[in-house]
Amino acid sequence: MNHLMLSLMNLKLVLPLLLSFIAAILLALLAYYVPVHEWDESRNGINAIEMLGNGDWLNLHYAGKVDTWNAKPPLLIWCIALSFKIFGISVFALRIPSIICGALFIYFFYLTSRLFIKPSINIAITIGLIFTKIFYLDHIGFTADFDGMLNLIIIMATYFYFKFILTQQSKFLQFASFMLGLGFWVKGPAVILFCIPVLIHYLISTYESFYLKRSLSALGWFLILPLLWICLILLFGKPHDGGFYGQSGNAIQTLLFNDLVGRALDSDFPNAQPVWYQFFSFVNIYFQLFEAIIYICLGYLIFMYYKSGKTIPTFYLFSGIVFIIYMICISLMKETHRWYIAPISASVFWILSMVFNWGKSRWRYAIFYILIAINFGDFLMNSRIMKEINGPEQKFFETVSTLDSITFLPYFSQRIFFIARSNHTPIDFFYHPGDEHVICSIKHFEKFVEQFPSLCDMHIVATGKDYLLLDN
């Protein structure tokens, strides 16, 4: 009996670590083989390189000047800079923080689910999440963008929040609030959108036992880190006059008023697409065959909420509130992107766990795993990312004579040159298929130098095996 108990305890410890390892391997493979192609990701890399160069760990820089496009707090850029410092400047090092965040996200998702869900269902929904696009796809999963780290902080906050719901110990509510405040240091006020459903659920759950002192304490723990960043910017922030948004002032004005308010309310904001059904198209992109089941489960959840006298499992209620709030807010925003719905990923799979209460046991699990396999198989066979990995070698853009900067980064066994045209000075190492930005091999680069010998007059700044080529 003691041996059996010890085995079960070991399995309880090993399972989340094993699932996290599987997630890390998936993300690492994508990070290794997929070229840098997201503009935000490449910009974050430049911010980190310049941070290492100028020693300014508060103000982000681009092209040697204060970055007036990305005014977010620097937590992600710190992590990328640290990765560059340890592993050298490379594409994979750029993405290491995101791989770590993805693996830890799966670990805390499993731990959080274990508070309410039995092990067999927990394993199924965790595997489902790992192999669903909203986890591993670019801008959330393997690329060096803000949303993967924000997702990790949100799931950690959710874990502590549910611990508070179960135990009513104030320390867990304070931990959750502090983690949400830390989320501000990743993507600024974007974390507030997740705070709305948390607050609604908190008020519903504590309706009969509401303590003002405990609530104000939680608010204080949440505000510590955002207020710290604001104070640091007021004391040491550099001006953003004449910036990307035509703004003046500092990073606070850029982040809160030009960027946030513009994206939410301004129909003339760059890339604004005020289409009310955008949220639903994003759900379709990420969840594929699970999409219809999500809406069926959500409808059943709403029906059960009213029929049962508003007494349903707290994690179902929480998940439904998160989904509905994001659905409303994303639908009303003037400028949105598919990765804005990343924080609903955990809640969606908690909602999907309802299907294991329907039908015969063996069919429930079989159908769920088949849907996972079909979704991931579609990604392997038909996705843009897999075509980039397996596609033919890219060629130069015809008008490369206008090119003014080249960044060379070693990419493990494969060497790739990242080209930036003059209208995106000085350097962006990224690739847009069909656009003017090109990735080429070292063979193509040598051919290019033969055609344009004037490049030989460029200054070459070398750090180990990494080279940055700039024109005079």
Side-chain angles (χ1 to χ4, degrees):
M1 180 62 70
N2 290 336
H3 179 71
L4 177 62
M5 292 297 295
L6 184 61
S7 299
L8 291 174
M9 288 180 64
N10 289 335
L11 184 63
K12 189 176 181 180
L13 293 173
V14 168
L15 263 178
L17 293 174
L18 176 61
L19 292 168
S20 299
F21 178 74
I22 293 171
I25 292 297
L26 173 61
L27 295 180
L29 288 172
L30 291 171
Y32 178 82
Y33 285 108
V34 179
V36 175
H37 62 280
E38 288 291 335
W39 191 59
D40 293 356
E41 172 183 39
S42 66
R43 189 106 182 191
N44 293 339
I46 294 296
N47 289 153
I49 291 172
E50 297 212 9
M51 182 177 284
L52 289 172
N54 60 33
D56 188 340
W57 295 86
L58 179 63
N59 300 282
L60 303 182
H61 288 76
Y62 181 80
K65 300 177 181 178
V66 175
D67 193 342
T68 59
W69 177 78
N70 179 14
K72 297 178 180 68
L75 183 56
L76 174 66
I77 309 303
W78 288 349
C79 294
I80 295 173
L82 179 62
S83 180
F84 283 165
K85 190 73 173 177
I86 296 172
F87 302 104
I89 298 175
S90 69
V91 175
F92 195 75
L94 173 69
R95 292 168 168 174
I96 283 176
S98 295
I99 297 170
I100 294 172
C101 287
L104 289 175
F105 171 79
I106 292 299
Y107 181 82
F108 277 95
F109 173 79
Y110 186 91
L111 291 188
T112 307
S113 304
R114 193 165 63 187
L115 297 174
F116 303 99
I117 300 173
K118 68 180 185 179
S120 59
I121 299 176
N122 194 3
I123 294 170
I125 62 173
T126 304
I127 292 174
L129 178 53
I130 292 172
F131 292 101
T132 298
K133 288 181 177 179
I134 199 167
F135 170 71
Y136 61 77
L137 213 56
D138 56 276
H139 229 293
I140 301 174
F142 68 92
T143 54
D145 293 293
F146 299 95
D147 300 273
M149 183 173 287
L150 180 63
N151 248 13
L152 169 62
I153 289 174
I154 282 176
I155 195 65
M156 292 174 69
T158 304
Y159 171 76
F160 288 121
Y161 175 70
F162 281 152
K163 291 281 284 186
F164 160 73
I165 293 296
L166 292 173
T167 65
Q168 291 298 303
Q169 294 184 36
S170 297
K171 65 178 182 180
F172 291 119
L173 182 62
Q174 293 167 356
F175 290 155
S177 301
F178 184 80
M179 292 306 301
L180 290 175
L182 181 62
F184 183 91
W185 274 75
V186 178
K187 205 177 179 182
V191 72
I192 296 175
L193 185 55
F194 189 80
C195 293
I196 297 172
V198 173
L199 178 61
I200 293 172
H201 184 269
Y202 173 75
L203 293 175
I204 293 173
S205 301
T206 60
Y207 177 76
E208 296 179 353
S209 58
F210 181 82
Y211 294 108
L212 180 61
K213 183 178 178 180
R214 181 175 63 187
S215 303
L216 291 176
S217 173
L219 178 62
W221 280 98
F222 169 75
L223 291 174
I224 289 174
L225 291 179
L227 290 178
L228 174 62
W229 179 77
I230 291 173
C231 291
L232 289 173
I233 292 296
L234 290 175
L235 291 172
F236 307 107
K238 295 181 179 179
H240 280 206
D241 297 338
F244 180 84
Y245 302 99
Q247 74 273 31
S248 60
N250 55 25
I252 299 171
Q253 285 94 323
T254 299
L255 181 64
L256 299 182
F257 299 105
N258 298 92
D259 193 357
L260 175 66
V261 176
R263 291 176 190 273
L265 303 176
D266 187 0
S267 298
D268 297 323
F269 191 84
N271 300 318
Q273 296 177 326
V275 181
W276 66 268
Y277 55 81
Q278 282 282 62
F279 174 85
F280 303 99
S281 66
F282 299 155
V283 171
N284 174 263
I285 290 170
Y286 281 132
F287 295 100
Q288 298 171 283
L289 295 178
F290 284 123
E291 180 186 17
I293 303 174
I294 293 169
Y295 294 123
I296 291 171
C297 290
L298 186 65
Y300 179 75
L301 178 62
I302 295 171
F303 172 77
M304 186 172 61
Y305 179 72
Y306 286 100
K307 184 179 179 181
S308 63
K310 303 181 180 180
T311 56
I312 62 174
T314 189
F315 75 101
Y316 282 155
L317 177 61
F318 177 86
S319 302
I321 294 172
V322 169
F323 190 94
I324 291 171
I325 291 299
Y326 270 81
M327 178 180 67
I328 294 171
C329 293
I330 298 297
S331 298
L332 293 176
M333 288 179 65
K334 301 301 182 183
E335 196 255 3
T336 60
H337 298 284
R338 54 180 168 81
W339 49 87
Y340 286 7
I341 72 167
I344 74 170
S345 57
S347 296
V348 164
F349 276 90
W350 290 329
I351 291 172
L352 285 173
S353 68
M354 296 176 63
V355 301
F356 294 97
N357 298 321
W358 307 338
K360 295 183 178 180
S361 177
R362 64 172 184 263
W363 292 112
R364 293 188 305 237
Y365 287 94
I367 292 172
F368 193 81
Y369 282 114
I370 289 171
L371 292 179
I372 294 171
I374 293 174
N375 282 345
F376 191 65
D378 176 69
F379 165 75
L380 294 176
M381 297 296 294
N382 301 314
S383 73
R384 168 183 58 81
I385 289 176
M386 294 306 296
K387 290 177 181 177
E388 287 180 14
I389 294 174
N390 300 316
E393 190 173 37
Q394 301 297 325
K395 296 182 179 180
F396 274 116
F397 190 68
E398 287 79 357
T399 57
V400 288
S401 58
T402 61
L403 176 145
D404 72 348
S405 59
I406 300 176
T407 301
F408 165 59
L409 298 174
Y411 195 38
F412 287 86
S413 61
Q414 184 181 12
R415 289 185 173 184
I416 298 180
F417 288 86
F418 299 89
I419 310 304
R421 288 283 300 286
S422 56
N423 59 340
H424 281 284
T425 57
I427 303 159
D428 277 341
F429 48 101
F430 65 117
Y431 170 53
H432 282 277
D435 201 354
E436 59 197 17
H437 311 290
V438 183
I439 293 177
C440 69
S441 68
I442 190 168
K443 178 179 67 176
H444 281 119
F445 177 71
E446 290 170 348
K447 183 178 179 181
F448 174 75
V449 172
E450 292 176 2
Q451 294 174 344
F452 301 96
S454 61
L455 283 176
C456 297
D457 297 330
M458 289 182 171
H459 294 301
I460 301 178
V461 181
T463 56
K465 295 182 179 180
D466 307 312
Y467 299 89
L468 192 64
L469 284 72
L470 298 175
D471 62 357
N472 293 320

